[in-house]
Amino acid sequence: MGMSVTISAATAQDVEQIFRLQYLCFQSEAELYGNYRIDPLVQSLDSVREEVGTDLVFVARLGDEVVGSVRGFTDADGTGRIGKLCVHPRLRNHGLGTRLLRAAEAGLTDGRSATRFRLHTGERSEGNLRLYRKAGYARVGNATGGDGVRMVLLEKDADAPAYATSA
């Protein structure tokens, strides 16, 4: 009998697993851009520890193993900022990213009073863009990250339908 993946709030004990998972997961993004200095790959363990202590962080667990994570916080104008959504490569394309995104949105709305959500992803990251469009996000602009990667900025209202359907 197989185990099911559960989503829960991250704890201080999860920090090292989140750090290692993030490094593993963002290798494919780095390869896509030919840039191995992208922000998630150069983030320090202490910085991840700080985010887990202050931000809203959810993890996906398969038994004791952290196989996915997402982070978020609400800024001063009520925008829930969601970032660093990642799923272990062996578990991708099974809805886990969607579940983590929903958990972040619910946590930011219920616990942190977000009125809208904003996130970004690389402009070449078609799988990510597909996930976010399906979740109801719309492109609101572009930016260039400190690492030089061109990013797409996406937003949706917190009271928008959770997931759009397409024909």
Side-chain angles (χ1 to χ4, degrees), residues 4 12 14 18 22 28 39 56 74 76 81 83 108 112 123 125 128 143 159 162 167:
S4 63
D14 297 322
I18 293 168
Q22 177 178 303
S28 57
D39 292 337
L56 185 66
T74 302
R81 305 282 182 149
L108 289 168
R112 306 227 177 165
E123 66 182 7
S125 303
N128 297 348
D159 58 1

Side-chain angles (χ1 to χ4, degrees), residues 6-60:
T6 59
I7 308 289
S8 61
T11 68
Q13 289 74 34
D14 297 322
V15 170
E16 288 186 26
Q17 283 193 68
I18 293 168
F19 180 73
R20 287 192 303 270
L21 177 69
Q22 177 178 303
Y23 191 82
L24 171 68
C25 290
F26 281 92
Q27 293 294 318
S28 57
E29 289 292 300
E31 184 176 343
L32 184 61
Y33 295 96
N35 180 348
Y36 289 84
R37 302 288 304 155
I38 61 173
D39 292 337
L41 296 184
V42 298
Q43 185 177 16
S44 71
L45 178 60
D46 285 341
S47 176
V48 173
R49 185 174 286 113
E50 182 178 322
E51 287 178 357
V52 169
T54 60
D55 292 352
L56 185 66
V57 181
F58 287 98
V59 293

Side-chain angles (χ1 to χ4, degrees), residues 118-129:
R118 178 175 266 208
L119 49 79
H120 63 272
T121 191
E123 66 182 7
R124 296 183 202 161
S125 303
E126 285 303 318
N128 297 348
L129 289 166

